[in-house]
Amino acid sequence: MPSLNRLTGAACVLAGLCLLLVVIPDQVEAIEDSGVQPATIPEAVAWVLMVAGASHTLFPAGDTPLDGPEALRAGMFLAIVGGGVYLMSEIGFLYVAPALVLAVMLAMGERRWFLLSTAALPVGIWAILELWLNRPLP
Amino acid sequence: MPRLMKFAASAAVLAALAAAPAQAADWKPGGPVTLSVAFGAGGMTDTLARLLADRMEKDTGWNIVVKNRPGGGGVAMLSGLARAKPDGLNIGIAVNMPIVMQLIVRPAKIPFRIKDFDYLGTVVWAQLAIIGLKGAPYTDMKSLIAHAKKSGKPLTVAHDTKPQAMIMRAIARSAGIKAKMVPHKSGAEQMQSLLGGHVDLAFGGGAHIPYYKAGKITVIASVNQRRHGYAPDMRTLIEQGMDYYVDPFFYISAPKGLKPEARTALAKAVNAAVNSEKMTKFLANTMKTAPTDLGPADTEKMMEGTRKTIKVLLEATK
Amino acid sequence: MFDIATILAGLGDAVTPVNILFVVLGVAVGQFVGAVPGIGPVITIALAIPFTFALSPLSGIAFLVGINKGGLVGGAIPAILINTPGTPDAAATALDGHPLAKKGRPLKAAKMALYSSVTGDTFSDIVLITVSPPLALVALMMGPIEIVCLLIFAFAVIAGLIGKSLAKGIVAAALGLLCASIGLDPEHSSPRFIFGVPDLFDGLPIASVAIGMLAAAEIFRRLAAKREKITAAIAFDRNQPREDRRVSWAEYWGCRFTIARGAVIGTLLGAAPGIGTTAASFMSYASAKQTSREPETFGKGNIHGIAATESANSAVMGANMIPMLTLGIPGSVSAALIIGALIIHGIQPGPLLFEQQARLIYGLFGAMIMANFCNFWIGLVGLRLWAFVIRAPESVIFPSAIVLCIVGVYLSTGTLFGVAVMLVFAAVGYAMTALGYSVVIFIIAFFLGNRFELSLNQSLTLIDGDFSVMLDHPVAIALLALAVLTAYWLGRKRRPANGPPD
């Protein structure tokens, strides 16, 4: 079973290959002009990724301090915040942000009601920016 | 020439106002008007927008919110503006050159066209000059070309936008000299390269004026259709026999389909703010020039004209 | 060149009660926003510029410069206390500041940061005031070819921070460079990696990437790491001995060479625009680590690490004013904003500035020195405030911090798209750390990527295949030689460490 560390190296080789063969031809224009081609740096990066990735796959060094359960929980918080940001674009900062703070606090396991009043903070931020500085929030 | 322009501009505005129905003055926005800026906070466009918004609020009593929407020289802002409702609550300030350039070179990637907008007016046109170091063996196009031919070495030219590079290429091609185009990020960086002797020529969009006054650089040509106020004896490229020019305009537009009375009211508010005392003073201080509002109809013509100018340049450099 | 009367009059202008008020206000605001995650001095200056219209030019500019200086000090505070740099400049401060705080000495770490920051700042201000005309020539000397070589040298020095795996460090740098290449290319303005999204035309927003990877990723990690009892974000021991809460003179003096080197690196990189504060602080950190007798203690709470970064990033700011005032060339985003403000106030930076506005400039210099004192005293008071705030439970600190990051990025980028990019890079940052790829190397490559590509393109155009042109650029050749020497030296130092496989 190859170690996770080795696998990341292989992933880099794959990413470099994909970049060189698919993404760059599709997303970078070739210019029929004198001067440096726009693809120069991306192509160099792709080659470096392949070479460094291959060398890492063969001779892995360093470590991978990945903590599976923690990463899953981090993903959950990211999903909560991401959902909140999406709702902000639909409903507005003023309504969503306090709920978001509340949701994150509850997900952390906080139940003390006097601390949950932190949810009022975004309202204060909103008041400062929108009412005083005249800078619109979503 | 500038006087004529100004006359034409105010005539156009007057005509538009006269043609508008009587209820024009009654139009009021149904909420805060968002003025989107095509560039980030702190730049020239941003400052112009804030001065305009401030004046328009005071004149009309509307609530005007300035919002920065940088990206792609205005492509990001106009992409959003084109999709917005034409209810008079969404207007945007941008610069014509980079927009039209992208529209011509890669239309497939730009989600809007020139005719997707209702044009409200312009704020000012930016002066652009070809400049060289004081003491260099050239002071105008003729001596520049003679020098380049004699030395046989390619001229190194700093630029910070594509049209600048195209103009220089077109000149080099028609004069039979060689030029190496060195890309830069801003006018200030071009000045750095020119003063440090890293390039032979640069384009000055305002950052060069204090150096001109300090006697450190020479203005070789005005790249606009007109000469510049700070150096009235420096001839334009056209006057020096090269039929190329660019006229970068700061202009204001709204999504297509404004009610005529809304368009008239907005254009009137823009016009009053552009010609306000504060704007006049600010432009005299910074760009050494005067405000120019072409009015709705001529702004649209200007955009079409810009398209032709750039097409000509593209042909000349093909 | 100037009569002493003008200088005195200018300095006199600086110490009017109104100016003092605005300097104090600016520094206080700057330290506050610097210390709040997500909201930095740059966006604050952008927000504050309209307010300065109502002030006299001197008060207005002094206020903005105060925000900038305060922000550099403030940014170190959350970096040390909760490992989320308030500004990217403070990313290197977290490397040693946070471990020291975790060892139970947060106040000592924060005070070391404050002292070295003020020292570095004062040094570069003195350089600015006394020798800016000759140093302005440095900026002119640095053409495209020199900048490329300077960047290569900077990369070589910072390479000393690549950890156990060289390949992983190189991958991180390559990924940073790749992300920097998104958007319009510098030579032809053709879009790259846009995927049909117009928001990407100007590239990934720097604020989104920096805040996402440096602050938000750490906040998510802390949120996720919390499983049992909710405690304060960092433990403070009220009864700890005095020497653990303060920095003694002996300790400060012991860091004198580190601070001096940081101040010199910061000043030089500030005078040659284009490199920026973040890279300067990492260069200073890397060289402090490489020249230390005990490099293995770096990253574990060595006060030299804090001193190196904070003296360097603060020194950049003063020196940034040299090309800004004498040539009108901004060395950073905040300098660009301040140039905008100067122009609005009718002051044109450039060759005539010192002749036409000498009194104002000396007033500004006076205000800058004053701001350094304010930074020191407000910093000491502010530290107590933050130490108090940070005693709040984690369940208050981190949810608030994440909302502030959202607000800060939204203000900087103007779109929720920018916020979404921040969340994506929070995930990228988390994943890179979890898989052992250096976020720091990624960020530096990302920050310098655009400048590197532009300067490289410029240089290749100028050289045009004829490398004998290089002979006209002795500075570039010297920088390249230094880079090669550094790489060689680093390689020799690596070998014994890598020798016996473990």
Side-chain angles (χ1 to χ4, degrees):
Chain A
M1 164 101 185
S3 73
L4 180 63
N5 204 7
R6 266 185 213 273
L7 279 179
T8 64
C12 287
V13 178
L14 212 63
L17 211 60
C18 185
L19 205 56
L20 202 60
L21 297 179
V22 184
V23 185
I24 293 178
D26 189 43
Q27 291 291 329
V28 182
E29 292 175 14
I31 305 275
E32 325 158 9
D33 208 346
S34 56
V36 185
Q37 281 296 325
T40 310
I41 292 270
E43 276 171 5
V45 165
W47 283 107
V48 168
L49 277 180
M50 284 192 281
V51 171
S55 118
H56 182 66
T57 317
L58 298 175
F59 314 103
D63 39 17
T64 49
L66 177 71
D67 173 346
E70 187 200 272
L72 279 179
R73 281 171 56 86
M76 173 192 79
F77 281 106
L78 192 67
I80 295 176
V81 176
V85 171
Y86 173 72
L87 285 178
M88 274 180 207
S89 68
E90 299 287 315
I91 309 175
F93 179 86
L94 179 60
Y95 305 104
V96 177
L100 178 62
V101 172
L102 211 59
V104 173
M105 291 180 82
L106 289 173
M108 283 179 84
E110 184 57 74
R111 294 292 181 270
R112 289 169 284 184
W113 61 270
F114 60 95
L115 287 178
L116 293 177
S117 61
T118 310
L121 175 86
V123 180
I125 297 175
W126 179 85
I128 292 177
L129 289 169
E130 199 109 334
L131 301 180
W132 184 49
L133 293 173
N134 208 6
R135 290 275 163 164
L137 283 170
Chain B
M1 203 65 161
R3 199 177 296 156
L4 188 72
M5 286 279 302
K6 240 185 146 177
F7 172 75
S10 34
V13 172
L14 282 178
L17 292 182
Q23 70 263 34
D26 301 336
W27 184 82
K28 277 208 164 46
V33 178
T34 305
L35 171 57
S36 301
V37 183
F39 298 91
M44 191 67 192
T45 321
D46 181 56
T47 310
L48 290 178
R50 284 174 201 285
L51 287 172
L52 281 179
D54 191 46
R55 193 67 248 165
M56 283 165 76
E57 269 193 345
K58 282 189 186 124
D59 288 348
T60 60
W62 308 339
N63 183 14
I64 298 185
V65 181
V66 179
K67 204 173 152 184
N68 294 92
R69 190 76 172 76
V75 171
M77 189 278 278
L78 288 174
S79 304
L81 193 66
R83 282 198 304 268
K85 270 193 226 142
D87 51 7
L89 299 187
N90 291 289
I91 58 177
I93 180 166
V95 180
N96 60 341
M97 300 306 295
I99 303 290
V100 177
M101 187 76 203
Q102 293 286 2
L103 273 173
I104 292 177
V105 178
R106 46 186 71 82
K109 289 193 178 165
I110 311 293
F112 57 83
R113 298 288 171 265
I114 289 182
K115 58 180 188 321
D116 287 343
F117 300 94
D118 274 340
Y119 293 87
L120 299 175
T122 58
V123 186
V124 64
W125 57 275
Q127 297 161 332
L128 190 65
I130 298 177
I131 53 178
L133 267 186
K134 191 98 181 178
Y138 37 82
T139 52
D140 58 5
M141 292 313 293
K142 203 175 150 198
S143 53
L144 175 71
I145 292 165
H147 167 78
K149 280 193 172 148
K150 206 176 94 196
S151 78
K153 278 202 285 187
L155 291 167
T156 49
V157 187
H159 66 93
D160 62 11
T161 59
K162 194 88 185 172
Q164 293 175 6
M166 288 183 347
I167 284 206
M168 206 59 217
R169 282 218 187 90
I171 292 172
R173 177 163 307 176
S174 59
I177 56 175
K178 275 197 213 124
K180 288 199 264 188
M181 308 309 303
V182 189
H184 283 67
K185 274 269 177 260
S186 68
E189 287 187 10
Q190 292 193 50
M191 284 309 304
Q192 183 184 1
S193 282
L194 181 70
L195 292 171
H198 306 288
V199 294
D200 299 322
L201 296 173
F203 282 86
H208 64 293
I209 296 173
Y211 291 91
Y212 176 74
K213 293 203 163 148
K216 300 208 186 248
I217 60 159
T218 53
V219 172
I220 291 168
S222 153
V223 189
N224 301 94
Q225 288 189 75
R226 295 163 284 278
R227 296 189 188 188
H228 295 170
Y230 60 89
D233 48 343
M234 295 302 161
R235 290 173 298 157
T236 64
L237 264 185
I238 303 172
E239 287 174 307
Q240 299 188 48
M242 323 225 154
D243 217 358
Y244 308 112
Y245 74 93
V246 291
D247 268 337
F249 266 101
F250 295 85
Y251 74 95
I252 295 172
S253 60
K256 184 91 192 169
L258 285 186
K259 285 191 199 134
E261 61 266 29
R263 188 175 180 181
T264 313
L266 284 167
K268 195 178 146 197
V270 166
N271 184 269
V274 167
N275 289 312
S276 65
E277 190 194 342
K278 203 168 173 190
M279 181 63 85
T280 312
K281 216 171 129 193
F282 171 74
L283 289 175
N285 258 336
T286 53
M287 299 170 76
K288 318 285 170 208
T289 174
T292 310
D293 182 11
L294 296 177
D298 282 6
T299 304
E300 194 155 359
K301 279 193 199 130
M302 177 275 291
M303 292 300 286
E304 286 299 338
T306 308
R307 177 204 278 286
K308 284 198 198 96
T309 318
I310 292 185
K311 280 240 165 99
V312 167
L313 277 176
L314 275 174
E315 283 303 317
T317 51
K318 234 178 206 140
Chain C
M1 192 151 126
F2 307 114
D3 54 326
I4 198 86
T6 315
I7 295 175
L8 287 179
L11 293 178
D13 291 343
V15 292
T16 59
V18 178
N19 275 328
I20 296 176
L21 175 73
F22 277 101
V23 168
V24 171
L25 204 63
V27 169
V29 168
Q31 286 196 3
F32 180 79
V33 297
V36 173
I39 301 179
V42 174
I43 185 63
T44 311
I45 291 174
L47 289 175
I49 283 177
F51 287 87
T52 65
F53 293 169
L55 305 175
S56 75
L58 182 55
S59 307
I61 304 301
F63 179 61
L64 298 179
V65 171
I67 294 179
N68 206 3
K69 284 173 175 280
L72 280 166
V73 167
I77 291 171
I80 291 168
L81 294 181
I82 52 175
N83 203 18
T84 62
T87 56
D89 334 285
T93 313
L95 296 179
D96 272 290
H98 188 61
L100 190 58
K102 271 212 295 213
K103 280 189 199 163
R105 294 195 278 273
L107 284 177
K108 186 187 199 104
K111 282 180 185 164
M112 192 66 219
L114 175 63
Y115 299 159
S116 31
S117 189
V118 172
T119 312
D121 205 351
T122 309
F123 173 81
S124 85
D125 285 352
I126 291 172
V127 170
L128 163 71
I129 294 167
T130 50
V131 286
S132 61
L135 265 178
L137 294 178
V138 173
L140 289 184
M141 225 161 56
M142 301 300 289
I145 298 175
E146 284 81 6
I147 295 274
V148 171
C149 297
L150 177 63
L151 283 167
I152 292 172
F153 175 55
F155 281 131
V157 172
I158 294 170
L161 295 180
I162 290 180
K164 288 186 203 123
S165 165
L166 188 62
K168 279 175 145 181
I170 291 174
V171 165
L175 290 176
L177 213 54
L178 182 68
C179 287
S181 77
I182 294 175
L184 299 180
D185 84 276
E187 174 119 16
H188 308 283
S189 306
S190 75
R192 292 187 297 198
F193 306 117
I194 299 291
F195 302 100
V197 183
D199 293 85
L200 283 176
F201 258 93
D202 273 0
L204 293 167
I206 290 183
S208 304
V209 176
I211 294 175
M213 293 194 95
L214 295 174
E218 175 67 12
I219 294 171
F220 280 116
R221 197 186 67 73
R222 294 288 290 260
L223 284 173
K226 199 72 251 158
R227 272 175 232 184
E228 306 99 31
K229 216 168 126 274
I230 291 169
T231 52
I234 190 147
F236 274 88
D237 181 3
R238 274 163 195 279
N239 304 319
Q240 72 185 165
R242 205 167 123 74
E243 66 264 25
D244 281 351
R245 279 184 292 163
R246 60 190 280 273
V247 175
S248 70
W249 172 251
E251 283 171 309
Y252 176 80
W253 190 240
C255 288
R256 64 189 183 279
F257 293 122
T258 309
I259 293 177
R261 181 173 49 230
V264 171
I265 289 176
T267 305
L268 285 175
L269 291 186
I275 308 285
T277 42
T278 309
S281 57
F282 276 107
M283 271 182 89
S284 173
Y285 181 85
S287 45
K289 182 178 174 183
Q290 293 305 331
T291 53
S292 166
R293 274 192 217 106
E294 31 185 22
E296 67 284 353
T297 61
F298 276 74
K300 293 177 187 150
N302 191 327
I303 55 170
H304 283 270
I306 304 171
T309 58
E310 283 299 310
S311 58
N313 69 25
S314 296
V316 173
M317 275 333 294
N320 248 335
M321 305 276 286
I322 297 171
M324 181 181 121
L325 293 176
T326 53
L327 303 166
I329 299 163
S332 62
V333 186
S334 44
L337 289 172
I338 293 176
I339 287 187
L342 283 167
I343 291 175
I344 293 171
H345 280 286
I347 302 156
Q348 181 84 48
L352 299 175
L353 182 64
F354 280 77
E355 286 165 41
Q356 292 173 348
Q357 304 270 6
R359 184 164 163 173
L360 179 86
I361 292 304
Y362 281 96
L364 184 58
F365 288 165
M368 289 174 73
I369 295 290
M370 216 153 63
N372 290 348
F373 283 104
C374 293
N375 237 340
F376 182 74
W377 291 111
I378 297 175
L380 280 182
V381 178
L383 273 183
R384 281 159 217 248
L385 174 76
W386 291 112
F388 177 77
V389 169
I390 217 76
R391 284 197 186 98
E394 281 174 298
S395 59
V396 171
I397 299 284
F398 292 114
S400 313
I402 203 79
V403 167
L404 287 165
C405 287
I406 293 174
V407 172
V409 170
Y410 183 79
L411 288 176
S412 311
T413 61
T415 54
L416 279 173
F417 175 79
V419 179
V421 173
M422 174 194 85
L423 292 179
V424 169
F425 275 87
V428 172
Y430 184 91
M432 283 181 69
T433 311
L435 298 174
Y437 288 84
S438 165
V439 167
V440 158
I441 301 276
F442 175 96
I443 281 283
I444 293 170
F446 175 75
F447 274 23
L448 297 183
N450 280 323
R451 166 60 49 181
F452 180 70
E453 185 176 13
L454 176 66
S455 303
L456 186 68
N457 283 3
Q458 293 173 329
S459 305
L460 291 177
T461 306
L462 287 172
I463 292 171
D464 204 12
D466 176 14
F467 280 86
S468 65
V469 173
M470 285 294 285
L471 293 177
D472 297 333
H473 296 269
V475 178
I477 293 173
L479 283 166
L480 265 188
L482 274 173
V484 171
L485 270 176
T486 311
Y488 173 73
W489 188 57
L490 283 176
R492 274 189 50 158
K493 282 190 92 162
R494 281 186 77 86
R495 209 163 298 149
N498 285 358
D502 39 20

